[in-house]
């Protein structure tokens, strides 16, 4: 049974049959999957200004044409990912598009980049949220890292409670942030139109500024494009939507892109006209809000909602990372544990992995957003470029009706994304060099994982030349997961140590359980099979209840009860992480049961 603390933090376990209730409508999906993209306006304009200020405050006017270029890229990417949603409604986004149209390694490169990028999403969002808190309360500056780690843990707990509940919690701060940004932008533009509150002189548009080069402008554009991170999340998470999934996901994407575009352009305009320049302990957004409202209630309201959405923007990573890990695990490039659903029907192993990775990044980079942004941008523009290229290849191969307009959008998106990627590599190599170590390492690990599973399959598959030892003798309850060589060997041993053998199987799906029983009865009609359906996807609980019943019967009939657990042993120790360790959990629980003999049948793998 779940511990009281776990029940309080995570909530009651949900039945597998309740999975349909965990789907999202458009408004909740916007809160969960768009918070990363929407929140990036809090630092997108600032990243442009940080590059331009190196030349001087007079160069600030260049932020306006750069913002227009970012807007064009946003338009192209939105069209492209809308096409991906309809073309690949089962989710997977850039990973699936790249794998199916370019090749396996391209898909793995896109998938690996996104896995790291989602960790960076959490680290950047939480660090930015912490910056907003510190801007309002400067005395917290020395506690930046511990505060960021605490916030990651809070968001992790929210997500472990399930996608619907996390969406309900997220919806309020997300829409409060949207409201505050709309009020701030409209109020600021009205005041500017009326000639009020302009406290800084700003260089006119078109002013020649010495030191501004094409490389500098491209670097500023690449930095500002960080505002577009998170756009791909909806295409990765289409399965989370209510039916019709593709249509609802597409509309959510368009709504998100429209709001993002309005916010980005509005904040860039206000930053220019108010002459805002980046400062160490005050964000650009904070300065804009202070210029417009002063340090009154609404200023602190904006800071509070900004901090909230920046922290909760991490939820985009928490929603998309587990689904991407599921797709990679399904293709056997990641451990099988990422296929398992937790008590609240979410992929909790993916959620926990993401949390640990993001906390590590926060510690390594000391919670400094500006240090994380370059890697963050590279991590998302690699899959951007690959997914656009994949869609170009798809349209050229299939040539459906009206494909030329779709092809044009993908060509534009691929060209700009690739340009941004090259600029990042050229101008920020000192900050993004870890990519050249990390990505080959991830590809190697993916392939080693896949190779292990490929070598494992023939060793477990039943054939006519099974290298299983013959036993003679006794009686047991044998726990079985499938008809494999491991189970076959254990069954022979079970028959050798007693007069009665009962096989027990726990199924998480009624239809699969029925099919397993039919298959078992065809192969082993002489051995009774008991199939236990687990409502809450727990293997151990129904099994323990069955063993309790069997133990009572054994005591009545005055015979001993032995539980035999088949287990295969990988050749190399590190390979254990690639397999579920359910047998260890079952054995541990059984050791505390009185009058039950626990035995393990080990089957050693050759590779």
């Amino acid at each position: 049974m779940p511990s009281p603390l776990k029940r309080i933090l995570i909530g009651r376990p949900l039945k597998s049959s309740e999975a349909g209730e965990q789907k999202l409508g458009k408004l909740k999906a916007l809160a969960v999957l768009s918070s990363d993209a929407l929140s990036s306006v809090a630092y997108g304009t600032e990243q442009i200004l940080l590059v331009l200020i190196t030349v001087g405050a007079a160069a600030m006017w260049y932020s306006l044409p750069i913002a227009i270029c970012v807007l064009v890229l946003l338009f192209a990417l939105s069209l492209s990912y809308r096409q991906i949603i309809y073309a690949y409604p089962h989710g997977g986004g850039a990973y699936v598009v790249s794998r199916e149209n370019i090749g396996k390694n391209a898909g793995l490169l896109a998938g690996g980049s996104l896995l790291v990028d989602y960790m960076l999403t959490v680290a950047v969002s939480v660090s930015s949220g912490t910056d907003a808190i510190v801007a309002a309360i400067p005395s917290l500056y020395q506690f930046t890292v511990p505060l960021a780690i605490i916030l990651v843990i809070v968001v992790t707990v929210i997500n472990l409670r399930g996608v619907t509940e996390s969406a309900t919690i997220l919806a309020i701060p997300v829409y409060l942030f949207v409201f505050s940004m709309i009020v701030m932008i409209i109020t600021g533009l009205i005041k500017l139109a009326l000639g009020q509150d302009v406290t800084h002189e700003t260089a006119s548009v078109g002013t020649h500024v010495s030191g501004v080069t094409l490389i500098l402008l491209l670097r500023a554009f690449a930095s500002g494009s960080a505002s577009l991170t998170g756009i791909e999340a909806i295409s990765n998470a289409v399965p989370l939507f209510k039916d019709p999934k593709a249509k609802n996901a597409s509309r959510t994407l368009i709504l998100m892109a429209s709001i993002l575009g309005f916010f980005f352009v509005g904040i860039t305009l206000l930053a220019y006209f108010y002459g805002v320049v980046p400062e160490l302990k005050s964000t650009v957004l904070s300065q804009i809000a202070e210029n417009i409202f002063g340090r009154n209630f609404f200023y602190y309201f904006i800071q509070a909602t900004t901090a909230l959405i920046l922290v909760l923007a991490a939820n985009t990573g928490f929603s998309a990372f587990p689904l991407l890990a599921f797709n990679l695990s399904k293709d056997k490039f990641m451990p099988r544990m990422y296929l398992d659903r937790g008590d609240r029907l979410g992929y909790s192993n993916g959620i926990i992995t993401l949390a640990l990775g993001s906390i590590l990044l926060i510690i390594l980079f000391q919670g400094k957003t500006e240090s994380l942004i370059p890697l963050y941008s590279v991590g998302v523009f690699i899959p951007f470029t690959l997914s656009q290229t994949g869609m170009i290849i798809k349209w050229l191969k299939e040539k459906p009706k009206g494909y030329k307009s779709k092809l044009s959008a993908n060509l534009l998106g691929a060209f700009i994304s690739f340009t941004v990627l090259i600029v990042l590599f050229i101008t920020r190599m000192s900050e993004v060099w870890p990519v050249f170590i990390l990505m080959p390492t991830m590809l190697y690990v993916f392939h080693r994982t896949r190779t292990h599973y490929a070598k494992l399959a023939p060793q477990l598959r039943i054939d006519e030349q099974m290298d299983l030892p013959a036993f003679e003798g006794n009686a047991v309850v044998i726990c079985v997961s499938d008809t494999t060589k491991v189970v076959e060997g254990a069954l022979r041993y079970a028959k050798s140590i007693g007069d009665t053998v009962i096989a027990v199987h726990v199924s998480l799906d009624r239809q699969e359980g029925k099919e397993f029983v039919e298959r078992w009865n065809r192969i082993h009609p002489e051995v009774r099979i008991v199939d236990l359906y687990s409502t809450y996807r727990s293997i151990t609980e129904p099994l323990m209840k069955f063993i309790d019943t069997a133990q009572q019967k054994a005591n009545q009939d005055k015979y001993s009860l032995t539980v035999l657990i088949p287990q295969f042993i990988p050749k190399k120790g590190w390979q254990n992480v690639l397999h579920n360790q359910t047998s260890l959990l079952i054995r541990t629980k059984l050791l505390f049961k009185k009058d039950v003999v626990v035995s393990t049948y080990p089957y050693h793998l050759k590779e």
Side-chain angles (χ1 to χ4, degrees):
M1 295 294 291
S3 67
L5 179 61
K6 182 180 178 183
R7 180 64 62 86
I8 292 169
L9 292 175
I10 309 301
R12 68 172 182 84
L14 297 175
K15 297 180 180 180
S16 297
S17 57
E18 296 178 80
E21 300 172 17
Q22 296 296 300
K23 300 298 183 181
L24 298 174
K26 292 188 288 294
L27 291 179
K28 283 191 175 181
L30 184 67
V32 172
L33 299 171
S34 301
S35 52
D36 176 28
L38 295 181
S39 68
S40 64
V41 299
Y43 52 79
T45 298
E46 185 162 7
Q47 293 303 309
I48 295 175
L49 299 181
L50 281 169
V51 176
L52 296 176
I53 196 65
T54 58
V55 176
M60 295 297 101
W61 75 265
Y62 285 100
S63 63
L64 300 181
I66 290 171
I68 293 173
C69 293
V70 173
L71 207 61
V72 171
L73 179 57
L74 170 63
F75 175 75
L77 290 174
S78 300
L79 284 181
S80 176
Y81 277 105
R82 183 173 180 272
Q83 295 164 12
I84 290 173
I85 287 170
Y86 283 108
Y88 301 94
H90 299 297
Y95 164 63
V96 174
V97 174
S98 304
R99 184 197 66 199
E100 293 194 3
N101 295 291
I102 306 176
K104 182 169 62 178
N105 285 325
L108 292 176
L109 181 60
S113 297
L114 282 173
L115 288 177
V116 176
D117 191 64
Y118 289 136
M119 289 184 183
L120 285 161
T121 294
V122 177
V124 168
S125 299
V126 171
S127 297
S128 298
T130 306
D131 288 344
I133 294 172
V134 169
I137 313 174
S139 59
L140 294 176
Y141 184 75
Q142 59 182 321
F143 303 108
T144 298
V145 173
L147 182 58
I149 292 172
I150 291 170
L151 292 173
V152 171
I153 293 171
V154 170
V155 178
T156 302
V157 171
I158 291 173
N159 278 275
L160 287 172
R161 294 185 66 87
V163 64
T164 299
E165 192 158 339
S166 66
T168 302
I169 295 171
L170 278 169
I172 295 174
V174 169
Y175 288 115
L176 284 176
F177 172 77
V178 170
F179 168 74
S180 68
M181 288 297 101
I182 290 173
V183 171
M184 185 187 76
I185 291 169
I186 291 176
T187 303
L189 292 176
I190 289 174
K191 284 190 172 186
L192 288 171
L194 297 176
Q196 301 176 12
D197 292 345
V198 181
T199 57
H200 299 84
E201 288 190 8
T202 307
S204 302
V205 175
T207 301
H208 175 73
V209 181
S210 177
V212 173
T213 63
L214 177 60
I215 291 295
L216 182 83
L217 294 176
L218 287 173
R219 183 178 178 182
F221 170 66
S223 298
S225 296
S227 292
L228 306 184
T229 55
I231 287 180
E232 80 295 333
I234 291 177
S235 68
N236 285 329
V238 177
L240 292 180
F241 284 82
K242 290 181 178 179
D243 291 326
K245 292 182 175 62
K247 186 176 181 180
N248 286 331
S250 172
R251 290 183 174 180
T252 305
L253 174 64
I254 297 303
L255 180 59
M256 176 196 71
S258 302
I259 297 172
L260 174 59
F262 172 69
F263 284 0
F264 181 73
V265 171
I267 290 170
T268 304
L269 283 171
L270 291 175
Y272 167 70
F273 285 112
Y274 279 98
V276 173
V277 295
E279 295 179 5
L280 179 62
K281 293 186 178 181
S282 183
T283 63
V284 166
L285 198 61
S286 172
Q287 292 180 64
I288 293 172
E290 188 172 3
N291 271 290
I292 295 173
F293 300 107
R295 289 246 170 183
N296 61 11
F297 167 78
F298 206 77
Y299 165 80
Y300 286 103
F301 177 74
I302 289 173
Q303 288 303 103
T305 56
T306 301
L308 270 175
I309 194 174
L310 281 167
V311 172
L312 297 178
N315 202 74
T316 297
F318 279 105
S319 299
F321 181 99
L323 288 172
L324 179 57
F326 172 87
N327 279 301
L328 284 160
S329 182
K330 187 173 63 176
D331 293 338
K332 299 180 180 177
F333 290 111
M334 286 183 70
R336 288 175 178 167
M337 67 179 183
Y338 293 107
L339 297 174
D340 298 336
R341 289 183 181 269
D343 285 351
R344 301 288 294 180
L345 296 172
Y347 297 106
S348 51
N349 289 326
I351 291 171
I352 294 169
T353 301
L354 176 62
L356 294 174
S358 59
I359 288 173
L360 179 62
L361 285 168
I362 288 171
I363 294 171
L364 288 175
F365 288 88
Q366 289 297 296
K368 294 179 180 177
T369 307
E370 65 274 12
S371 299
L372 289 162
I373 288 289
L375 279 174
Y376 185 35
S377 299
V378 168
V380 77
F381 275 97
I382 288 174
F384 273 0
T385 304
L386 289 171
S387 63
Q388 304 296 310
T389 305
M391 291 303 290
I392 290 170
I393 294 171
K394 178 180 174 65
W395 299 139
L396 290 175
K397 282 183 179 178
E398 299 178 3
K399 295 184 179 178
K401 185 178 179 181
Y403 79 95
K404 290 184 179 179
S405 58
K406 297 176 181 179
L407 179 63
S408 300
N410 293 133
L411 283 168
L412 179 62
F415 174 75
I416 300 177
S417 296
F418 183 69
T419 301
V420 171
L421 194 58
I422 296 300
V423 170
L424 284 168
F425 283 137
I426 292 174
T427 63
R428 312 199 76 161
M429 180 58 73
S430 61
E431 297 164 288
V432 303
W433 63 265
V435 171
F436 293 99
I437 297 174
L438 186 59
M439 292 318 303
T441 302
M442 291 190 73
L443 289 176
Y444 174 76
V445 172
F446 287 149
H447 282 292
R448 282 298 302 271
T449 303
R450 171 88 175 194
T451 300
H452 169 74
Y453 286 133
K455 290 180 178 179
L456 174 66
Q459 296 181 68
L460 297 179
R461 191 180 301 120
I462 297 174
D463 53 40
E464 294 180 357
Q465 298 178 348
M466 292 186 294
D467 52 343
L468 301 172
F471 295 105
E472 299 177 4
N474 211 342
V476 292
V477 169
I478 176 172
C479 306
V480 300
S481 60
D482 206 342
T483 50
T484 64
K485 285 184 178 180
V486 187
V487 172
E488 290 293 311
L491 194 57
R492 291 188 184 186
Y493 176 70
K495 291 177 181 178
S496 75
I497 62 173
D499 305 313
T500 304
V501 176
I502 301 175
V504 182
H505 175 265
V506 180
S507 60
L508 307 183
D509 180 272
R510 292 190 186 277
Q511 182 59 35
E512 289 179 2
K514 182 180 178 181
E515 291 171 359
F516 175 83
V517 170
E518 292 174 353
R519 186 165 68 254
W520 180 273
N521 288 332
R522 286 197 306 271
I523 300 172
H524 298 291
E526 78 286 359
V527 178
R528 178 188 170 194
I529 178 70
V530 176
D531 181 65
L532 307 173
Y533 173 68
S534 177
T535 305
Y536 294 100
R537 300 163 307 287
S538 169
I539 301 293
T540 57
E541 288 190 23
L543 185 58
M544 293 303 115
K545 289 179 181 179
F546 176 83
I547 290 171
D548 286 340
T549 303
Q551 184 182 357
Q552 292 173 11
K553 183 72 169 64
N555 291 338
Q556 291 173 8
D557 294 345
K558 297 182 180 180
Y559 64 83
S560 62
L561 177 65
T562 300
V563 178
L564 179 61
I565 305 171
Q567 180 181 1
F568 61 80
I569 312 297
K571 184 178 181 180
K572 298 176 182 177
W574 68 267
Q575 294 172 340
N576 281 296
V577 74
L578 305 178
H579 305 284
N580 295 329
Q581 302 301 320
T582 308
S583 60
L584 295 177
L585 181 61
I586 294 172
R587 189 162 70 245
T588 301
K589 288 201 171 190
L590 286 173
L591 289 174
F592 292 94
K593 287 192 176 292
K594 189 178 179 181
D595 298 329
V596 174
V597 178
V598 184
S599 181
T600 300
Y601 174 83
Y603 181 83
H604 292 269
L605 301 174
K606 296 176 182 178
E607 296 185 64

